[in-house]
Amino acid sequence: QVQLVESGGGLVQAGGSLRLSCAASGRTFSYYTMGWFRQTPEKEREFVASISWSGGGTRYTDSVKDRFTISRDNAKNTVYLQMNSLKPDDAAVYYCATGRRWPTTRDSDYEYWGQGTQVTISS
């Protein structure tokens, strides 16, 4: 079992920045792919970004490339999502997830999920 706890969400103005964190506990964190997804009431859950177990590989959905950066610190069992130049369309509940496949953007490939953290953008 792996437990994931997200933090760092909140209210920010359009154009601003937030950094989300996801702390993992349980099985060996460093062997797992980590991903961020987001969901709104109007849309299905969508892939945002992922990072390989070593941190050497990353993937992003097109809409966040050059604005978001995913990183991980295996010594702290934590993955981060730095979000810059935030837009109203980025508002969502952001979920951290982990799985053993790489690379993948499919939520069905992720085995464990956090409870989510709300990101709200004011225009």
Short mmCIF file of all heavy atoms in Angstrom, two decimals, residues 39-72:
data_model
loop_
_atom_site.label_atom_id
_atom_site.label_comp_id
_atom_site.label_asym_id
_atom_site.label_seq_id
_atom_site.Cartn_x
_atom_site.Cartn_y
_atom_site.Cartn_z
N GLN A 39 -9.27 17.51 -12.14
CA GLN A 39 -10.67 17.27 -12.50
C GLN A 39 -11.52 18.43 -12.05
O GLN A 39 -11.31 19.00 -10.97
CB GLN A 39 -11.17 15.98 -11.87
CG GLN A 39 -12.54 15.56 -12.34
CD GLN A 39 -12.90 14.17 -11.87
OE1 GLN A 39 -12.37 13.65 -10.91
NE2 GLN A 39 -13.82 13.54 -12.59
N THR A 40 -12.50 18.78 -12.87
CA THR A 40 -13.52 19.76 -12.52
C THR A 40 -14.87 19.08 -12.63
O THR A 40 -14.99 18.01 -13.26
CB THR A 40 -13.48 20.97 -13.46
OG1 THR A 40 -13.88 20.55 -14.77
CG2 THR A 40 -12.08 21.57 -13.53
N PRO A 41 -15.91 19.69 -12.08
CA PRO A 41 -17.25 19.09 -12.21
C PRO A 41 -17.71 18.96 -13.66
O PRO A 41 -18.54 18.11 -13.99
CB PRO A 41 -18.13 20.06 -11.43
CG PRO A 41 -17.22 20.69 -10.45
CD PRO A 41 -15.91 20.83 -11.17
N GLU A 42 -17.15 19.81 -14.53
CA GLU A 42 -17.60 19.82 -15.93
C GLU A 42 -16.80 18.87 -16.82
O GLU A 42 -17.24 18.56 -17.94
CB GLU A 42 -17.49 21.22 -16.52
CG GLU A 42 -18.36 22.28 -15.85
CD GLU A 42 -17.80 22.77 -14.54
OE1 GLU A 42 -16.56 22.71 -14.36
OE2 GLU A 42 -18.61 23.19 -13.68
N LYS A 43 -15.63 18.44 -16.35
CA LYS A 43 -14.75 17.64 -17.20
C LYS A 43 -14.37 16.34 -16.53
O LYS A 43 -14.35 16.23 -15.30
CB LYS A 43 -13.47 18.42 -17.50
CG LYS A 43 -13.67 19.68 -18.32
CD LYS A 43 -12.32 20.36 -18.56
CE LYS A 43 -12.47 21.64 -19.33
NZ LYS A 43 -11.15 22.31 -19.55
N GLU A 44 -14.00 15.38 -17.35
CA GLU A 44 -13.44 14.14 -16.81
C GLU A 44 -12.03 14.42 -16.29
O GLU A 44 -11.39 15.39 -16.66
CB GLU A 44 -13.38 13.07 -17.91
CG GLU A 44 -14.72 12.59 -18.38
CD GLU A 44 -14.62 11.46 -19.38
OE1 GLU A 44 -13.50 11.13 -19.79
OE2 GLU A 44 -15.67 10.91 -19.76
N ARG A 45 -11.58 13.54 -15.44
CA ARG A 45 -10.22 13.66 -14.92
C ARG A 45 -9.22 13.62 -16.07
O ARG A 45 -9.33 12.77 -16.96
CB ARG A 45 -9.94 12.54 -13.93
CG ARG A 45 -8.61 12.64 -13.22
CD ARG A 45 -8.58 11.73 -12.02
NE ARG A 45 -8.85 10.34 -12.36
CZ ARG A 45 -9.11 9.39 -11.46
NH1 ARG A 45 -9.13 9.70 -10.19
NH2 ARG A 45 -9.33 8.16 -11.84
N GLU A 46 -8.27 14.54 -16.04
CA GLU A 46 -7.29 14.58 -17.12
C GLU A 46 -5.87 14.54 -16.59
O GLU A 46 -5.57 15.04 -15.49
CB GLU A 46 -7.48 15.85 -17.97
CG GLU A 46 -7.17 17.14 -17.27
CD GLU A 46 -7.09 18.33 -18.23
OE1 GLU A 46 -6.97 18.11 -19.47
OE2 GLU A 46 -7.11 19.47 -17.75
N PHE A 47 -5.01 13.97 -17.39
CA PHE A 47 -3.59 13.89 -17.07
C PHE A 47 -2.97 15.28 -17.14
O PHE A 47 -3.28 16.05 -18.06
CB PHE A 47 -2.90 12.96 -18.06
CG PHE A 47 -1.41 13.00 -18.02
CD1 PHE A 47 -0.71 12.30 -17.04
CD2 PHE A 47 -0.69 13.74 -18.95
CE1 PHE A 47 0.67 12.34 -17.01
CE2 PHE A 47 0.69 13.78 -18.92
CZ PHE A 47 1.38 13.07 -17.94
N VAL A 48 -2.10 15.59 -16.21
CA VAL A 48 -1.40 16.87 -16.21
C VAL A 48 0.10 16.66 -16.44
O VAL A 48 0.68 17.24 -17.35
CB VAL A 48 -1.61 17.63 -14.89
CG1 VAL A 48 -0.79 18.92 -14.87
CG2 VAL A 48 -3.09 17.92 -14.68
N ALA A 49 0.72 15.84 -15.60
CA ALA A 49 2.16 15.65 -15.70
C ALA A 49 2.54 14.35 -14.99
O ALA A 49 1.82 13.89 -14.12
CB ALA A 49 2.91 16.81 -15.07
N SER A 50 3.68 13.80 -15.38
CA SER A 50 4.20 12.62 -14.69
C SER A 50 5.72 12.65 -14.71
O SER A 50 6.34 13.34 -15.52
CB SER A 50 3.69 11.33 -15.34
OG SER A 50 4.13 11.24 -16.67
N ILE A 51 6.29 11.87 -13.80
CA ILE A 51 7.74 11.80 -13.68
C ILE A 51 8.15 10.38 -13.39
O ILE A 51 7.50 9.67 -12.63
CB ILE A 51 8.23 12.78 -12.59
CG1 ILE A 51 9.75 12.88 -12.57
CG2 ILE A 51 7.68 12.42 -11.21
CD1 ILE A 51 10.26 14.07 -11.75
N SER A 52 9.21 9.93 -14.02
CA SER A 52 9.69 8.57 -13.83
C SER A 52 10.27 8.38 -12.44
O SER A 52 10.54 9.35 -11.72
CB SER A 52 10.74 8.24 -14.89
OG SER A 52 11.89 9.05 -14.71
N TRP A 53 10.52 7.14 -12.07
CA TRP A 53 11.00 6.85 -10.72
C TRP A 53 12.33 7.53 -10.43
O TRP A 53 12.59 7.94 -9.31
CB TRP A 53 11.13 5.33 -10.52
CG TRP A 53 12.21 4.70 -11.32
CD1 TRP A 53 12.12 4.20 -12.58
CD2 TRP A 53 13.58 4.52 -10.92
NE1 TRP A 53 13.33 3.72 -13.00
CE2 TRP A 53 14.25 3.90 -12.00
CE3 TRP A 53 14.30 4.82 -9.77
CZ2 TRP A 53 15.59 3.58 -11.95
CZ3 TRP A 53 15.64 4.50 -9.71
CH2 TRP A 53 16.27 3.88 -10.80
N SER A 54 13.17 7.67 -11.45
CA SER A 54 14.48 8.29 -11.24
C SER A 54 14.43 9.81 -11.33
O SER A 54 15.37 10.49 -10.94
CB SER A 54 15.47 7.79 -12.28
OG SER A 54 15.11 8.27 -13.57
N GLY A 55 13.34 10.32 -11.87
CA GLY A 55 13.24 11.76 -12.12
C GLY A 55 13.82 12.17 -13.45
O GLY A 55 13.74 13.34 -13.84
N GLY A 56 14.38 11.22 -14.20
CA GLY A 56 15.01 11.55 -15.45
C GLY A 56 14.05 11.74 -16.60
O GLY A 56 14.43 12.27 -17.64
N GLY A 57 12.83 11.27 -16.44
CA GLY A 57 11.84 11.41 -17.49
C GLY A 57 10.61 12.14 -17.00
O GLY A 57 10.15 11.90 -15.87
N THR A 58 10.10 13.04 -17.82
CA THR A 58 8.88 13.76 -17.47
C THR A 58 7.96 13.83 -18.68
O THR A 58 8.42 13.77 -19.83
CB THR A 58 9.17 15.20 -16.99
OG1 THR A 58 9.89 15.91 -18.01
CG2 THR A 58 9.98 15.21 -15.69
N ARG A 59 6.70 13.96 -18.41
CA ARG A 59 5.69 14.12 -19.46
C ARG A 59 4.70 15.18 -19.00
O ARG A 59 4.39 15.28 -17.83
CB ARG A 59 4.94 12.80 -19.70
CG ARG A 59 5.78 11.68 -20.25
CD ARG A 59 6.18 11.91 -21.69
NE ARG A 59 6.81 10.73 -22.27
CZ ARG A 59 8.11 10.45 -22.18
NH1 ARG A 59 8.92 11.27 -21.52
NH2 ARG A 59 8.60 9.36 -22.74
N TYR A 60 4.18 15.94 -19.98
CA TYR A 60 3.19 16.98 -19.68
C TYR A 60 2.10 16.97 -20.72
O TYR A 60 2.34 16.69 -21.90
CB TYR A 60 3.84 18.36 -19.70
CG TYR A 60 4.93 18.56 -18.66
CD1 TYR A 60 6.26 18.30 -18.98
CD2 TYR A 60 4.62 19.00 -17.38
CE1 TYR A 60 7.27 18.48 -18.03
CE2 TYR A 60 5.62 19.17 -16.43
CZ TYR A 60 6.93 18.91 -16.76
OH TYR A 60 7.92 19.08 -15.82
N THR A 61 0.91 17.33 -20.30
CA THR A 61 -0.12 17.57 -21.28
C THR A 61 0.21 18.90 -21.96
O THR A 61 0.83 19.79 -21.37
CB THR A 61 -1.51 17.61 -20.62
OG1 THR A 61 -2.51 17.59 -21.63
CG2 THR A 61 -1.70 18.83 -19.73
N ASP A 62 -0.21 19.04 -23.22
CA ASP A 62 0.20 20.19 -24.00
C ASP A 62 -0.17 21.52 -23.36
O ASP A 62 0.57 22.51 -23.46
CB ASP A 62 -0.41 20.12 -25.41
CG ASP A 62 0.27 19.06 -26.27
OD1 ASP A 62 1.36 18.59 -25.90
OD2 ASP A 62 -0.32 18.71 -27.31
N SER A 63 -1.32 21.57 -22.72
CA SER A 63 -1.81 22.85 -22.21
C SER A 63 -0.98 23.40 -21.05
O SER A 63 -1.13 24.58 -20.70
CB SER A 63 -3.27 22.72 -21.78
OG SER A 63 -3.39 21.79 -20.71
N VAL A 64 -0.12 22.58 -20.45
CA VAL A 64 0.67 23.07 -19.31
C VAL A 64 2.16 23.12 -19.61
O VAL A 64 2.94 23.58 -18.76
CB VAL A 64 0.42 22.24 -18.04
CG1 VAL A 64 -1.07 22.11 -17.75
CG2 VAL A 64 1.08 20.87 -18.13
N LYS A 65 2.55 22.65 -20.78
CA LYS A 65 3.98 22.68 -21.12
C LYS A 65 4.51 24.10 -21.06
O LYS A 65 3.84 25.04 -21.47
CB LYS A 65 4.19 22.10 -22.52
CG LYS A 65 4.14 20.59 -22.56
CD LYS A 65 4.34 20.08 -23.99
CE LYS A 65 4.23 18.57 -24.04
NZ LYS A 65 4.34 18.04 -25.42
N ASP A 66 5.70 24.24 -20.56
CA ASP A 66 6.39 25.53 -20.41
C ASP A 66 5.81 26.38 -19.29
O ASP A 66 6.29 27.50 -19.06
CB ASP A 66 6.35 26.34 -21.71
CG ASP A 66 7.02 25.62 -22.87
OD1 ASP A 66 8.04 24.94 -22.63
OD2 ASP A 66 6.51 25.73 -23.99
N ARG A 67 4.78 25.88 -18.60
CA ARG A 67 4.24 26.62 -17.45
C ARG A 67 4.36 25.80 -16.17
O ARG A 67 4.57 26.37 -15.08
CB ARG A 67 2.76 26.98 -17.68
CG ARG A 67 2.53 27.88 -18.86
CD ARG A 67 1.08 28.39 -18.89
NE ARG A 67 0.12 27.29 -19.02
CZ ARG A 67 -0.85 27.05 -18.14
NH1 ARG A 67 -0.98 27.81 -17.06
NH2 ARG A 67 -1.70 26.05 -18.35
N PHE A 68 4.19 24.49 -16.25
CA PHE A 68 4.24 23.61 -15.09
C PHE A 68 5.53 22.79 -15.11
O PHE A 68 6.02 22.41 -16.19
CB PHE A 68 3.06 22.64 -15.08
CG PHE A 68 1.71 23.26 -14.81
CD1 PHE A 68 1.52 24.63 -14.83
CD2 PHE A 68 0.62 22.45 -14.56
CE1 PHE A 68 0.27 25.19 -14.58
CE2 PHE A 68 -0.64 22.99 -14.32
CZ PHE A 68 -0.81 24.36 -14.33
N THR A 69 6.02 22.49 -13.93
CA THR A 69 7.21 21.64 -13.80
C THR A 69 6.97 20.61 -12.71
O THR A 69 6.65 20.98 -11.58
CB THR A 69 8.45 22.46 -13.47
OG1 THR A 69 8.67 23.46 -14.48
CG2 THR A 69 9.68 21.55 -13.40
N ILE A 70 7.14 19.34 -13.06
CA ILE A 70 7.03 18.27 -12.09
C ILE A 70 8.43 17.87 -11.65
O ILE A 70 9.36 17.83 -12.46
CB ILE A 70 6.25 17.07 -12.65
CG1 ILE A 70 5.96 16.05 -11.54
CG2 ILE A 70 6.95 16.45 -13.83
CD1 ILE A 70 4.99 14.95 -11.97
N SER A 71 8.58 17.59 -10.37
CA SER A 71 9.87 17.15 -9.85
C SER A 71 9.62 16.23 -8.66
O SER A 71 8.50 16.15 -8.15
CB SER A 71 10.72 18.35 -9.42
OG SER A 71 10.08 19.09 -8.39
N ARG A 72 10.66 15.56 -8.23
CA ARG A 72 10.50 14.66 -7.09
C ARG A 72 11.78 14.66 -6.27
O ARG A 72 12.88 14.86 -6.80
CB ARG A 72 10.15 13.25 -7.54
CG ARG A 72 11.23 12.51 -8.29
CD ARG A 72 10.68 11.23 -8.92
NE ARG A 72 10.25 10.27 -7.90
CZ ARG A 72 9.47 9.22 -8.17
NH1 ARG A 72 9.03 9.02 -9.41
NH2 ARG A 72 9.14 8.37 -7.21
#
